[in-house]
Amino acid sequence: MNQAFRRAALAALDRLTPAEAAVVRRELAELERGGYEGPLPDQWRRLAAAVPERLYHDSARLLLRMHQLAGSGNLSSNLSSLAIVRACFDLGLVPPPGEAAPDGNGGAPAELVVGRGHIAPVFHAEHYVRGHLPFLPLTTLHRGGLSGVVSRTTGFANTMRYSLGVGVAQATSLAWDLARRGSDRKVVCLAGDGELQEGVVFECLRFAHEHDLDRLILVVDANGKGIEPLPKPLSAGYLAAFLGRVRTVDGGDSDAVARSLRSLLDTPGRGALVCRTRKGEHSYRPPRPPEAPPVPPSFAAGAGRMLAGHRRRTGRELAVFTADMAGRFGLPGRVPYTNTGLAESLAVGLTLSLPDPVVKVVATDAMYYMDSLSMLTEATTGVRNLVVLAGRSWGAWGGAHNATNLLGGLLHTRVYEPVTEAEFAACLDRAAEHPAVTHVLSMVDARFEPPAADCSADPDGAVWITPPPFAQPVTPPVTQPAAAPVVPSPVRRPGAAAVVSFGYASTLVAEANRGLGIPHLHCAALVPELPAAVLAVLAGCDRLLTVEYNGADGGFGEGLRRRHLLPATVHAVRQDIANCVHGEQLRRHGMTPPQLRELLLRTTAGDGTGSGDGTGDGTGGDTGRRAGNTVAGTAVNGTEVGRAGACA
């Protein structure tokens, strides 16, 4: 078992009960004896056999405990699918981890593809109560060890990264492959009724019907919710049109689910099993003591309030569309909106024919716009007054590190990452001034102190949060006709250092820079238009660092280097976002304030600073040299880049 699991389990000890901590310590001691190598599921099965004590015998109680320890996750989604998953275990569709029959199928009667990727924890909990899994990995959910999303590395037949609907495509692909090979083996796909709103699911069901994929069995957790309640219940007639036989069953009765699923497996032809279930609130939140102060909302959750303020201030008509994420952006009760369900392309498509003066706002996660790039291109080239809110949680569901940069590469598009209400308002004002340009606002799901200064006077420019003693004030561009300005030449200042940051990273750098006084320039635009005087200051620095909590390739720092030939070291995210909570995510990418402070100190010392995401074991973010820890690296543009380990 890799060091990430061990480290995460050690970190969890203080949160465990005495009985739980005792078992984890015994499991850690067993691991220290050695011999635990090979695939993770195989290691888990052997460790469970070596330390057979079971602390929990009810997977529902265990699921709650896992989410209490994690502090976040999709507990309700897991509970709504619990009886369905138990039925799959009872039918032998889920063999013990690490076990495989000679045919490579683990002896299972059919292939199982889990389309509801976020219900991985219910499988882990059920494995545990059946004696197949040790307790140790369960204590690390979302905390740098156990992923909450299905992955082949943790024993599932399929891996999901971001988007729901992928699992149905994976199951359809497998059913097609089995058909062309002449196999009569069936494929069972677990999906949710919210997931069926994804456009790719319709394409898969149509394909299965037109190509007679009689090996496909779709099992739907019909709980009436995506992230928000569905406007209408799932249509059994819709499923029957493509899959033929459709049966409905009480999804809370595992025996009834097992009987119906067994019948579908035993009867020739494709089909669907609709399991009626119930689901609570989408996201798990630990209960707070009554005396605890209220938790402030994330910056992204203030979008509804800020949009309402813009409407009051300007009197402009808004048309707001969201792909099932109204709560995430704080829309309810603030502005009227239309929920398209989990249908990102439709959310963009509904803007295409609206009157030009209407401000069209689309709100979903940045990574889900990757499902809709062609539709976005239609919109950015043909829709006026379009504002795209691109949420970035980069938490337990993971994320695409380059999504913001991809959006910036679309035609007629400008990308910003506001970190104050004034910057958000300035971006909307800029959108009104340039209606033919789509304005993408990267909205971070994090709570932070706003910086001491912001770019609200000019969202395309920059502002010194910590000014250098030799810099001229940054002023907005002069709008009236004027003589050609005199561009100051760079003045090389031996030993001078500065840091330039983009969006959310500016709040992290500002915290790291407290007491250090290193000149710090903040930009809200992914591609800022820096005044000549500022460029002269930056070009004159011996050591220049750029920081962004964003993908390095095609990102903020590399753009500054390329456009202005600045001698900058780029500190950014260089691999996709793993399935971890936000704090762990920051650490893995070298973005916590203590890690950034160390980086700033090395920058001022000229100590061979590098840029990267951390070490291969997930210790995260350390660049260049660190006492007691050597970071493996590769040369990228003359800087040493640490190699990061993904959250397993």
Side-chain angles (χ1 to χ4, degrees):
M1 200 173 301
N2 64 36
Q3 290 299 321
F5 274 98
R6 302 185 195 211
R7 186 176 52 255
L10 287 170
L13 286 173
D14 291 341
R15 304 194 303 274
L16 304 181
T17 66
E20 291 170 343
V23 168
V24 170
R25 287 192 175 96
R26 286 201 294 276
E27 291 172 342
L28 287 168
E30 174 64 25
L31 288 174
E32 289 300 319
R33 294 189 179 95
Y36 287 88
E37 299 172 352
L40 268 177
D42 184 59
Q43 295 183 50
W44 288 344
R45 179 173 52 83
R46 288 187 283 123
L47 183 57
V51 185
E53 180 181 350
R54 301 291 97 180
L55 295 164
Y56 295 88
H57 301 279
D58 176 16
S59 46
R61 287 188 58 225
L62 178 55
L63 274 170
L64 173 60
R65 183 60 179 146
M66 290 165 63
H67 284 78
Q68 289 172 339
L69 293 173
S72 65
N74 301 113
L75 175 61
S76 292
S77 292
N78 281 270
L79 289 174
S80 74
S81 287
L82 177 55
I84 300 170
V85 171
R86 283 176 175 164
C88 290
F89 272 81
D90 293 341
L91 290 175
L93 292 170
V94 190
E99 284 192 9
D103 61 2
N105 296 311
E111 303 288 346
L112 179 65
V113 174
V114 182
R116 297 191 81 207
H118 51 298
I119 65 169
V122 71
F123 284 86
H124 299 313
E126 195 66 23
H127 272 305
Y128 175 85
V129 300
R130 293 172 185 248
H132 305 156
L133 206 68
F135 191 65
L136 183 154
L138 305 184
T139 68
T140 70
L141 177 66
H142 301 325
R143 293 281 180 173
L146 189 64
S147 169
V149 183
V150 299
S151 171
R152 287 189 180 94
T153 61
T154 51
F156 293 91
N158 61 310
T159 295
M160 289 185 64
R161 296 301 309 277
Y162 317 129
S163 185
L164 289 171
V166 170
V168 180
Q170 291 168 328
T172 304
S173 169
L174 182 55
W176 177 83
D177 185 56
L178 291 172
R180 76 187 181 105
R181 295 177 184 276
S183 171
D184 59 359
R185 190 170 177 80
K186 289 196 173 183
V187 179
V188 175
C189 178
L190 302 188
D193 50 358
E195 179 182 354
L196 299 190
Q197 296 176 330
E198 296 278 4
V200 67
V201 174
F202 165 75
E203 296 177 21
C204 290
L205 298 184
R206 176 194 58 78
F207 183 87
H209 169 69
E210 293 177 353
H211 291 262
D212 296 320
L213 299 186
D214 290 339
R215 291 151 184 82
L216 182 62
I217 303 295
L218 185 67
V219 180
V220 184
D221 181 337
N223 54 44
K225 284 189 175 182
I227 297 173
E228 298 187 6
L230 305 184
K232 290 186 178 180
L234 174 67
S235 169
Y238 165 71
L239 295 179
F242 297 106
L243 297 176
R245 294 169 300 143
V246 177
R247 299 184 180 180
T248 301
V249 68
D250 177 2
D253 184 340
S254 60
D255 291 334
V257 173
R259 287 193 299 271
S260 295
L261 182 52
R262 167 55 68 189
S263 175
L264 286 172
L265 289 171
D266 290 343
T267 305
R270 59 188 176 274
L273 178 61
V274 177
C275 304
R276 300 294 181 188
T277 65
R278 294 182 179 180
K279 176 183 171 182
E281 291 296 320
H282 181 72
S283 297
Y284 172 78
R285 292 178 178 84
R288 294 181 57 78
E291 67 277 8
V295 177
S298 72
F299 187 78
R305 174 174 45 79
M306 292 185 280
L307 286 171
H310 177 77
R311 185 177 60 170
R312 286 192 302 270
R313 182 167 54 87
T314 64
R316 302 193 68 189
E317 180 185 358
L318 302 181
V320 182
F321 304 98
T322 180
D324 217 24
M325 292 192 176
R328 178 171 172 181
F329 290 95
L331 302 179
R334 299 291 187 177
V335 292
Y337 67 91
T338 298
N339 181 12
T340 63
L342 298 177
E344 294 80 16
S345 294
L346 176 61
V348 177
L350 287 174
T351 70
L352 295 180
S353 297
L354 300 185
D356 283 351
V358 174
V359 179
K360 301 95 178 164
V361 181
V362 184
T364 191
D365 194 289
M367 62 185 175
Y368 296 144
Y369 287 114
M370 296 172 67
D371 295 345
S372 324
L373 288 179
S374 61
M375 188 68 76
L376 270 170
T377 301
E378 292 286 344
T380 62
T381 55
V383 174
R384 296 175 68 84
N385 292 302
L386 176 61
V387 176
V388 173
L389 302 185
R392 281 212 297 132
S393 69
W394 283 15
W397 189 239
H401 74 299
N402 60 337
T404 301
N405 301 337
L406 287 173
L407 293 173
L410 296 174
L411 289 170
H412 314 309
T413 299
R414 294 279 294 170
V415 175
Y416 302 86
E417 189 162 277
V419 290
T420 68
E421 291 192 29
E423 282 187 345
F424 184 93
C427 291
L428 293 185
D429 289 343
R430 190 193 186 285
E433 296 166 3
H434 303 275
V437 176
T438 296
H439 286 61
V440 176
L441 306 189
S442 173
M443 304 294 290
V444 178
D445 281 304
R447 301 172 180 87
F448 50 80
E449 290 293 326
D454 67 16
C455 295
S456 55
D458 176 20
D460 289 309
V463 63
W464 289 105
I465 293 178
T466 304
F470 45 81
Q472 300 177 5
V474 177
T475 57
V478 178
T479 56
Q480 66 269 24
V486 176
V487 179
S489 300
V491 177
R492 181 63 64 186
R493 294 177 173 85
V499 57
V500 187
S501 55
F502 166 58
Y504 173 55
S506 293
T507 69
L508 304 172
V509 172
E511 184 177 346
N513 197 30
R514 286 175 185 165
L516 299 183
I518 299 170
H520 175 201
L521 187 71
H522 161 63
C523 300
L526 181 65
V527 183
E529 298 170 359
L530 300 181
V534 171
L535 288 173
V537 170
L538 299 180
C541 290
D542 264 357
R543 293 180 291 279
L544 182 63
L545 177 69
T546 69
V547 181
E548 61 196 291
Y549 191 41
N550 177 49
D553 295 338
F556 172 79
E558 288 192 356
L560 288 180
R561 285 168 56 108
R562 183 181 67 254
R563 290 190 307 277
H564 305 296
L565 303 180
L566 293 173
T569 295
V570 177
H571 186 67
V573 177
R574 296 188 181 270
Q575 71 171 34
D576 256 6
I577 307 305
N579 306 115
C580 310
V581 291
H582 181 70
E584 172 67 16
Q585 205 76 253
L586 289 176
R587 186 184 69 81
R588 285 178 173 264
H589 296 284
M591 294 290 172
T592 66
Q595 290 170 313
L596 290 174
R597 187 177 184 87
E598 183 179 348
L599 183 59
L600 292 175
L601 288 170
R602 286 202 308 273
T603 298
T604 57
D607 187 19
T609 304
S611 169
D613 295 339
T615 65
D617 65 358
T619 53
D622 299 325
T623 55
R625 293 190 298 272
R626 179 176 182 178
N629 184 31
T630 301
V631 178
T634 57
V636 177
N637 293 331
T639 63
E640 184 176 293
V641 181
R643 297 190 185 99
C647 296

